[in-house]
Amino acid sequence: MSKKTLVSAITAALVVGAASTTFAAANPFSDVPADSWAYDAVSTLAADGVIDGYPDGTYKGQNTMTRYEMAQIVARAMAKTDIDKADKALVDKLAAEFAEELDNLGVRVADLEKKSDNVKWGGELRYRYYDADHDAGEDTTYNRIMFRLMPKAYIGESGWTANARINYSLDMGSSNNAGFDATDNDASVDLAYVEGPLFGGTVQAGRLPAFTATGLVFDDRIDGVQYKGGSDVFKTTVTAGRYRNDLEEAWINGTNLGDGFLSDSDITTDFYGIQFDYTPNDKLALNAGYNVLSGLDDPVRVGHTWGELPDGTWGKLPVYTAGSGIDRTTYGDDDDAQIWYLGGSYKFNNSLALQAEYAQNTSADKYDDAWRATLNYKGADVSDAGSWGMYAGYADLGLNSVPAPTYDDVSGGQKGFVAGVQYVPAENILATVQYFTGEDDYVEHGDNDAEKIFSQIEFFF
């Protein structure tokens, strides 16, 4: 046996041994599929002289690589700073794909990003249009363009970053570019926070995004602090701060104003939350948590129902959101919302998954629970042109259990069938169409049918 053959045999044995032990959960030595886009990317980088190929300095363009070999090549490319913009975009995309293998090699993607640029910029240009019909209230149309910038600045070598989100909103239905009033500024900074490692986890502080119950209960910003800690299998998130959803913000986000009032809650409150996430494998993901909104504002009218008026006649009665000490609110006399939730998802295979979430507000007298379940097929990946996904399901969002849900198809206080499809016509371009048909559930008498068609296209950069 030649020396070269012997060395190859020993190396192969070591690779097999390592793959069966250290990397049993996610094997970096498994082959990258022959039809993977990564090969074309590596070929382009090799032709441009950015990379040299295998660890021995060669590039065997016709050979199938393992993920570990590919990560070694990407690591060397990431260490270079004198490359053009197109090649750097390819390197960044490869680094995201092989992040786990790079981490095993001791290559920290975030550290290398800091060396190349102290401030990174991301963002999107979004066009959104929808039409919502309500038998029990006024129909609404939303027709707007939003330009969003999201800078991230690295704070020395500390591992901390300063983050922001800047929005510019343009009303396509009028000559007024302002978000809510002609005297308002067109641009707004709706997120500004620091993020970094602390106490074995990650801390965010400032005006930051909060997301609970996979978006069923809360997807909005708060002024406060958030801590995330744990492992890839079990994570804990603790959040505390102040939440305000005012009239202008609700309008900008497309909330139906009805008769000049919000159709969702107008809230100023203290917000506290804790969530546990359990992900034992690639198929199953579970979550459970508890949110408290304390010191809610006086009630805001959200619509009407039919009932007996104070004079004994039959007519329209106003429906109110939560408030303090006013008996007509649907929270009774309690000015707190105490919402617990649980849910999860299960992947039957690479194409089909079931997702469901349930929440209940134990302080509410009515409209006190909410749930949503969808069957999801495939999924759109903005980095993969031609990818697509679709879903169909049912939602019942009790108004007092979902202060800030994430959905674009259904709103708080509605129940009915939901469906949608997403498609990536080109890299970093995402087209979305969603549909809802059902009822405005808070309208207890008379016609309460509701329907919504939602469409959106996003250009990410």
Side-chain angles (χ1 to χ4, degrees), residues 174-185:
S174 73
S175 59
N176 173 27
N177 296 345
F180 178 70
D181 186 276
T183 61
D184 288 345
N185 196 327

Side-chain angles (χ1 to χ4, degrees), residues 50-59 65 68-81 83 91 102 105 107 112:
V50 177
I51 59 173
D52 301 320
Y54 280 84
D56 62 3
T58 64
Y59 173 65
M65 292 184 183
Y68 184 76
E69 289 171 327
M70 185 72 78
Q72 289 178 295
I73 292 174
V74 175
R76 290 197 302 279
M78 291 171 66
K80 296 188 176 182
T81 58
I83 59 176
V91 172
L102 287 166
L105 286 170
V107 179
L112 288 167

Side-chain angles (χ1 to χ4, degrees), residues 407-426:
Y407 312 117
D408 292 317
D409 45 20
V410 63
S411 300
Q414 294 184 321
K415 65 179 180 180
F417 293 96
V418 293
V421 61
Q422 289 186 316
Y423 176 67
V424 181

Side-chain angles (χ1 to χ4, degrees), residues 146-411:
M146 185 191 70
F147 182 73
R148 170 173 287 171
L149 289 175
M150 293 180 290
K152 173 187 286 189
Y154 294 95
I155 303 173
E157 300 295 327
S158 64
W160 284 76
T161 61
N163 309 268
R165 190 170 70 183
I166 306 164
N167 299 329
Y168 178 90
S169 187
L170 175 66
D171 184 1
M172 299 299 290
S174 73
S175 59
N176 173 27
N177 296 345
F180 178 70
D181 186 276
T183 61
D184 288 345
N185 196 327
D186 300 338
S188 64
V189 179
D190 69 344
L191 292 177
Y193 62 95
V194 294
E195 179 179 37
L198 192 65
F199 306 126
T202 301
V203 170
Q204 295 177 329
R207 176 160 292 183
L208 55 94
F211 187 83
T212 71
T214 62
L216 175 68
V217 174
F218 199 88
D219 179 16
D220 211 331
R221 63 184 188 269
I222 66 165
D223 298 331
V225 61
Q226 183 168 258
Y227 172 83
K228 296 181 181 180
S231 65
D232 291 338
V233 175
F234 187 83
K235 294 182 180 180
T236 301
T237 303
V238 181
T239 309
R242 186 74 171 165
Y243 171 57
R244 177 180 175 85
N245 178 20
D246 58 22
L247 181 65
E248 176 180 351
E249 176 61 24
W251 189 86
I252 291 173
N253 288 331
T255 303
N256 175 22
L257 298 181
D259 298 326
F261 294 83
L262 299 177
S263 64
D264 294 327
S265 300
D266 180 28
I267 298 172
T268 300
T269 177
D270 294 325
F271 178 91
Y272 307 97
I274 185 168
Q275 178 167 312
F276 304 101
D277 290 279
Y278 178 60
T279 311
N281 52 55
D282 293 337
K283 290 183 175 293
L284 181 65
L286 302 174
N287 72 83
Y290 185 68
N291 290 165
V292 175
L293 283 77
S294 176
L296 291 163
D297 278 347
D298 287 338
V300 174
R301 195 178 77 179
V302 297
H304 69 267
T305 185
W306 291 90
E308 187 175 349
L309 300 175
D311 62 3
T313 61
W314 188 264
K316 288 184 179 181
L317 290 172
V319 175
Y320 291 87
T321 65
S324 56
I326 299 180
D327 187 56
R328 64 187 176 184
T329 76
T330 51
Y331 283 98
D333 295 327
D334 200 343
D335 63 354
D336 294 344
Q338 303 180 48
I339 305 168
W340 65 267
Y341 58 86
L342 56 88
S345 63
Y346 182 79
K347 293 182 180 179
F348 299 101
N349 50 50
N350 290 332
S351 298
L352 193 64
L354 177 66
Q355 184 172 15
E357 197 80 20
Y358 176 81
Q360 185 175 61
N361 181 2
T362 57
S363 295
D365 297 330
K366 60 194 304 185
Y367 316 124
D368 61 345
D369 64 352
W371 65 275
R372 178 182 171 110
T374 59
L375 190 63
N376 308 319
Y377 181 69
K378 291 189 174 181
D381 180 354
V382 295
S383 66
D384 183 11
S387 64
W388 65 282
M390 61 183 297
Y391 72 91
Y394 191 87
D396 185 348
L397 306 189
L399 186 65
N400 293 324
S401 55
V402 288
T406 192
Y407 312 117
D408 292 317
D409 45 20
V410 63
S411 300

